[in-house]
Amino acid sequence: MHSVWVDADPGFDDWLALLLLAQAAPQVQISGVSVVAGNAPLGVVLNNTLALRQLHQWTWPVYAGASKPLVAQPIDAGYVLGPSGMRTTGAELPKPDPTAKAQPAHAVSALLDWLCAPAAPGRRSLLATGPLTNIAGAIQQHRAAFEGLSEIVLMGGSTDRGNHTPAAEFNIAADPEAAAVVFSSGVPVRMVGLNVCRQVLLHAADVQRLQALMKPSTAGQMLVGYLDGYQRIRSAEGDLPMPLYDPVAALALLQPALFNWQMAPVDVELQGQFTRGMTVVDLRNRAGRPIAVRVAVGVDGSAVLAVVLQSIAAVAQPS
Ligand code: BDR
Ligand code: CA
């Protein structure tokens, strides 16, 4: 059994990452989902998480985490994803039952409890698809708890350019100090950045095929509306393919052999006027620094896209 804790800010592509992990059951089990402010303020992404859980009749516990970064001013992705963090021109995500609630424990203490629980046989991994505030908070509180963890697989950063700014990827830009804590912690990390995610491109025809398979049908309509919304924001003519982010990291956790990896020290720029939040990936490591970060440096985008689509379609089918 491979137990996975997910820390996320749902978010359409956080949703696709959860779908991708769900298809791997029963070999992979989601032990808990902690939520962090990112794509939208905490209350909004928490609500989205509860609504997605209900939509797919998932049963994992949900924990609310950080509502703001460790030290930075909060930002969100409302300028792209709208106030709900899940802008779609198709079906809206149905509202969760008013009785649906997060667990009373804070995300950081719940994550630490999970890490400290007697190890069941098998691997334990953490998938992070939002800003790293909760995870950094847990490392700061109790670094030793991470000794039993196989690895943190995170969607964030880039070996080249950013998206939130020319230099910085959104999840790192949203809490650069937290990212610096995680990358320098010595906990084994796999970094899945924009440099590989931008090679995994979803086209309108893929979404149409998925829509026909996804259950419940609302899920397929939401996805169609997501791509449509993305294309409208960019005022694109025709089929503008959309890069996939968080599900690519979920796949890297399940099937790392689909990617090329290189060990490299990763620093986070905390000062730069134009580069704050940039991941500085030292692929040559001339200084011989000790390294705990495996950076995804290569991927066959169409092969990965095919596996992502197959997985999402598989979980979407009624059993
Ligand atoms: C990341 O930022 C968020 O908007 C997405 O959910 C993804 O995790 C991509 O930069
Ligand atoms: Ca995300």
Side-chain angles (χ1 to χ4, degrees), residues 9 14 39 129 246:
D9 61 338
D14 302 80
N39 279 324
T129 61
D246 301 342

Side-chain angles (χ1 to χ4, degrees), residues 38-127:
N39 279 324
L42 183 67
V44 176
V45 289
L46 179 61
N47 203 53
N48 290 346
T49 309
L50 295 169
L52 291 167
R53 182 177 68 168
Q54 188 168 312
L55 182 72
H56 292 288
Q57 299 175 2
W58 288 324
T59 52
W60 27 255
V62 174
Y63 301 89
S67 61
K68 55 183 176 53
L70 292 186
V71 296
Q73 287 303 312
I75 58 168
D76 63 43
Y79 59 97
V80 186
L81 301 171
S84 70
M86 294 189 76
R87 189 201 297 270
T88 166
T89 59
E92 294 288 334
L93 175 62
K95 292 203 182 335
D97 219 308
T99 57
K101 293 264 180 291
Q103 301 294 311
H106 188 277
V108 169
S109 56
L111 170 58
L112 288 172
D113 284 350
W114 175 70
L115 289 169
C116 294
R123 297 175 61 205
R124 272 197 290 196
S125 310
L126 206 167
L127 176 67

Side-chain angles (χ1 to χ4, degrees), residues 194-209:
L194 295 175
N195 53 300
V196 287
C197 295
R198 281 190 173 126
Q199 296 178 52
V200 184
L201 294 169
L202 190 67
H203 290 263
D206 304 318
V207 177
Q208 296 299 339
R209 273 197 296 278

Side-chain angles (χ1 to χ4, degrees), residues 9 11-14 39 77 81 129-130 155 163 169-171 194 245-246:
D9 61 338
F12 268 101
D13 54 341
D14 302 80
N39 279 324
L81 301 171
T129 61
M155 191 284 128
N163 57 0
E169 183 280 329
F170 177 78
N171 287 337
L194 295 175
Y245 304 118
D246 301 342

